[in-house]
Amino acid sequence: MKVCVVGAGYVGLTTSAVLADLGHQVTCVDLDQNKIRTLQDGKIPIYEEGLAELIETGTRSGRLVFSSDTASGIEDHPVILIAVGTPPQNDGSTNLAAVANVIEMIADHAHAHKTVITKSTVPPGTNEWISRVLSDKGLHPESFDVVSNPEFLKEGTAVHDSFHPHRIVIGAKRKKAFQLVRSLYQKIKAPVIETNLAGAELIKYASNAFLAAKISFINEVSRICDAYDADIKDIQRGLEEDPRIGSHFLSAGLGFGGSCFPKDLSALVHAATDKGLTPSLLQAVSDVNETQTDFYLNKLEQDLNDLKGKQITVWGVTFKPGTDDLRCSQSVKLINKLISKGSVIHTYDPVAKIESERVASHDDLYDSVKNSDALIIATEWPEFQAPDWERIKRSMNGTLLLDGRNFVDLESIRAHGLHYLGVARR
Ligand code: UDX
Ligand code: UDX
């Protein structure tokens, strides 16, 4: 199949490389000419495990091409897959300007039948609106199909997730559109769920909101554990053994971040309130997450007496390990709060850096802790699990280690004379 993927971000790039690997002829277009030039030069603009190799294989086979000419991409391909960003606005609703821009271009450049597949996460009702806009702009109803086909890939494991999805969700209106998307993914073994446009849109939001709810649930329970002197890891193990609860997304920590959970949660709250509903549970999921960093900031403050002037080292600045993505990172949120309290911040992260004059970014894990009053592990990168704790203890000025992801072995930390503070660990 000839597919034009619009948007060379995390989702668009991964999807393009995967579709090319499945045997399709893919042109990935992006407005950002620098990004396209980088890709044409054989480099990739993001850090994502296995993606560089897959892109290289795709471009070498000739099945994957990059271009900044969106108009020609649309004209030349019968299948258009939209993977542009849909960032949040201040009121929690979704900014659909990029999607609207692509739809406009499709209306202007569609000279033959187009199947328009929305991969970007868009609020319920958006794909109906896309259909209406294309009709209003003069496209005959028989000359296009609109499909909602949300992605479920996690950054850091995006390539693997794309080849091994738990399900393929297709929302469409016509049989031939369902068939086309089924054949696009025919080499992938996964249950296919067919529904209408709003159904597919809502499966995506409900999935992310549910996973976010699991995290806020365990984080709230961790606060209760703290109050009653219980270890959250024991509670987690006790919950995970029940298959009705399941064993994923029950790790307590500083809370969830990233480009999806916070944004999708507020978009779903917004979509519900738009219809006069009161989504109290979803709101609570957000509230717990919003206050989780404050909860640990207070603990740090109690331990260090005052945060003003304290040298604090933060390991891990991305929103989770395995990615260079800083969007809605809880680590960055915590760092900003520490700065506003007057702390001096040092960071180390294996792939990302915070561009700020108020943060000293180090290239070496051991350099980053020199003379520090406290060390915070904000992201669970593997190299933070068992470094030379003796050397770290010697280098630091203080002894406090806040393990914001319950990642390191607390016994060995204590054995080295460091004061361990985890998320409800005993
Ligand atoms: C994706 C999805 O699209 C979003 O809906 C989902 O919730 C999270 O993941 P992501 O791939 O992370 O977004 O977006 P981003 O990395 O911002 O990339 C989007 C790309 O689209 C950018 O490179 C931007 O330049 C490009 N773009 C934007 C276009 O090519 N054309 C436009 O009209 C607008
Ligand atoms: C998420 C969804 O998992 C994916 O299906 C969707 O397509 C996009 O959004 P992503 O944002 O890449 O993926 O990361 P994910 O691995 O889900 O982690 C999100 C956040 O939750 C991270 O900040 C992570 O640290 C946090 N998390 C995750 C926890 O705090 N505890 C957990 O048990 C799991």
Side-chain angles (χ1 to χ4, degrees), residues 11 42 59 135 175 190 204 214 226 265 348 367 371 402 425:
V11 173
T59 44
S135 291
K175 203 171 167 197
K204 168 70 193 222
K214 286 184 91 173
D226 245 351
L265 201 54
Y348 169 73
D367 283 347
N371 301 323
L402 168 61
R425 298 300 317 275

Side-chain angles (χ1 to χ4, degrees), residues 151-155 204 208 211 215 249-251 255-257 260-261 319-320 405:
E151 47 80 21
F152 296 95
L153 49 88
K154 300 187 291 300
E155 288 179 27
K204 168 70 193 222
N208 274 359
L211 292 170
I215 300 168
F249 280 66
L250 283 173
S251 296
F256 56 79
C260 291
F261 284 176
F319 83 94
K320 66 170 191 182
R405 297 289 167 186

Side-chain angles (χ1 to χ4, degrees), residues 6-12 29-32 35 70 83-86 98 101-102 119-122 151 155 204 259-260 263-264 327:
V6 186
Y10 286 86
V11 173
V29 298
D30 200 294
L31 283 182
D32 184 338
K35 202 181 254 190
T70 306
V84 295
T86 50
N101 181 37
V102 179
K119 188 63 97 182
S120 298
T121 306
V122 293
E151 47 80 21
E155 288 179 27
K204 168 70 193 222
S259 69
C260 291
K263 152 178 92 62
D264 294 350
R327 287 179 287 183

Side-chain angles (χ1 to χ4, degrees), residues 53-342:
E53 296 82 348
L54 201 64
I55 288 180
E56 202 197 326
T57 314
T59 44
R60 222 183 308 115
S61 71
R63 284 198 300 274
L64 178 57
V65 174
F66 295 101
S67 160
S68 50
D69 185 354
T70 306
S72 301
I74 289 168
E75 265 168 27
D76 298 345
H77 298 76
V79 180
I80 318 292
L81 196 144
I82 302 175
V84 295
T86 50
Q89 312 195 97
N90 287 342
D91 65 352
S93 63
T94 309
N95 182 342
L96 290 171
V99 174
N101 181 37
V102 179
I103 299 308
E104 183 109 350
M105 293 199 77
I106 294 174
D108 290 346
H109 297 279
H111 307 306
H113 185 278
K114 301 288 168 196
T115 301
V116 179
I117 303 175
T118 311
K119 188 63 97 182
S120 298
T121 306
V122 293
T126 304
N127 280 287
E128 274 298 347
W129 166 78
I130 291 176
S131 276
R132 265 199 318 275
V133 172
L134 290 176
S135 291
D136 290 351
K137 289 199 175 275
L139 261 63
H140 191 276
E142 291 301 319
S143 70
F144 69 90
D145 277 286
V146 173
V147 178
S148 169
N149 171 225
E151 47 80 21
F152 296 95
L153 49 88
K154 300 187 291 300
E155 288 179 27
T157 54
V159 171
H160 178 270
D161 293 347
S162 302
F163 282 118
H164 306 279
H166 297 297
R167 73 295 209 189
I168 292 167
V169 174
I170 312 171
K173 293 189 184 200
R174 287 198 288 214
K175 203 171 167 197
K176 70 171 192 175
F178 283 113
Q179 279 166 347
L180 182 139
V181 180
R182 271 181 181 269
S183 50
L184 192 64
Y185 300 116
Q186 71 181 356
K187 288 193 186 157
I188 291 182
K189 275 201 178 69
V192 175
I193 295 152
E194 293 187 348
T195 174
N196 63 6
L197 294 173
E201 291 162 339
L202 277 167
I203 288 172
K204 168 70 193 222
Y205 280 105
S207 300
N208 274 359
F210 188 79
L211 292 170
K214 286 184 91 173
I215 300 168
S216 278
F217 174 84
I218 200 73
N219 283 339
E220 182 149 88
V221 172
S222 76
R223 299 181 192 180
I224 304 171
C225 282
D226 245 351
Y228 283 91
D229 213 18
D231 190 316
I232 191 66
K233 288 262 187 189
D234 298 339
I235 282 70
Q236 183 181 355
R237 221 171 305 128
L239 290 170
E240 286 176 353
E241 287 302 327
D242 186 333
R244 292 172 303 175
I245 296 173
S247 60
H248 299 283
F249 280 66
L250 283 173
S251 296
L254 291 178
F256 56 79
S259 69
C260 291
F261 284 176
K263 152 178 92 62
D264 294 350
L265 201 54
S266 52
L268 190 54
V269 167
H270 205 270
T273 43
D274 254 4
K275 295 285 184 191
L277 302 166
T278 308
S280 1
L281 180 61
L282 299 178
Q283 192 55 58
V285 172
S286 222
D287 293 346
V288 172
N289 202 55
E290 280 304 310
T291 50
Q292 191 68 357
T293 46
D294 290 330
F295 196 76
Y296 285 90
L297 191 74
N298 289 341
K299 281 180 181 265
L300 272 173
E301 204 156 24
Q302 277 165 20
D303 219 278
L304 297 172
N305 289 323
D306 187 6
L307 292 169
K308 196 159 190 262
K310 293 282 167 12
Q311 302 280 329
I312 301 197
T313 301
V314 179
W315 282 356
V317 294
T318 55
F319 83 94
K320 66 170 191 182
T323 177
D324 59 351
D325 198 345
L326 294 168
R327 287 179 287 183
C328 287
S329 159
Q330 291 292 94
S331 172
V332 174
K333 198 196 273 180
L334 183 62
I335 288 169
N336 287 335
K337 286 178 180 169
L338 286 165
I339 290 173
S340 68
K341 293 265 180 188

